Amino acid sequence: MTDRGFKPRALGEIAIRCAGMGKMARFYEDIIGLDRLSGADDDPIVFFRIAEGFGGHTAVLALFCNAATPRPGLHPTAQIPPETGPRSSLHHLALTVPHAEQDAVMAWYDRHDQPYRIETFGWVGWRGIFTQDPEGNTVELVAYHAAFKDPS
């Protein structure tokens, strides 16, 4: 192992470029349940709190309007909608929930007609509940439970 003098400890931010800011912001707030930190539905950037994070840096999800230039040169822009699905470089976004809350996730999705699928990853003991946001990005709410772990 190489001694670099540093080691990343946590994910600080995930940023998704969006075409429809209002629908995306409402999905992550109303369906996924993230707390909005800043930004209105029509702002060029909206931030959501995921978790406390590490070292005082709150872990956040940021939505960036693909056509806005809030900081020219730093944030790339495009007038065409970003790619989602199989042509996107983002495979999926996974957020952790306690195993005890996964039934509530599925019930919530059912109440809101939000399609989802379930997949178990026995090698690590995870179960993921996968859905899609309004622009087609896959969002997983994942939990660990010993019962999901493959026998050794």
Side-chain angles (χ1 to χ4, degrees):
M1 184 170 163
T2 303
D3 181 9
R4 292 177 183 82
F6 68 90
K7 179 181 178 183
R9 305 292 197 293
L11 183 65
E13 177 178 313
I14 296 171
I16 300 175
R17 207 174 337 276
C18 307
M21 290 294 288
K23 286 182 181 180
M24 291 286 281
R26 287 188 300 279
F27 171 83
Y28 284 99
E29 188 168 39
D30 299 341
I31 299 299
I32 299 299
L34 297 180
D35 295 326
R36 192 181 298 217
L37 292 173
S38 69
D41 286 359
D42 58 352
D43 283 349
I45 304 174
V46 178
F47 287 96
F48 293 94
R49 180 183 181 280
I50 296 173
E52 283 304 311
F54 178 81
H57 186 291
T58 302
V60 299
L61 169 69
L63 303 179
F64 284 71
C65 178
N66 69 300
T69 56
R71 294 170 70 186
L74 179 62
H75 301 139
T77 63
Q79 295 302 316
I80 57 171
E83 293 278 351
T84 60
R87 293 186 51 118
S88 172
S89 62
L90 175 68
H91 186 271
H92 73 285
L93 165 67
L95 304 171
T96 305
V97 296
H99 171 256
E101 294 178 9
Q102 281 196 317
D103 287 341
V105 169
M106 292 180 279
W108 182 255
Y109 285 174
D110 288 340
R111 273 199 304 275
H112 292 276
D113 296 321
Q114 182 68 37
Y116 64 91
R117 67 178 175 80
I118 300 166
E119 190 170 343
T120 302
F121 305 92
W123 66 280
V124 286
W126 296 345
R127 179 174 69 179
I129 304 168
F130 294 84
T131 192
Q132 288 190 331
D133 70 20
E135 295 193 3
N137 297 298
T138 300
V139 180
E140 175 188 12
L141 296 183
V142 64
Y144 170 84
H145 194 278
F148 301 141
K149 190 111 169 104
D150 291 338
S152 299

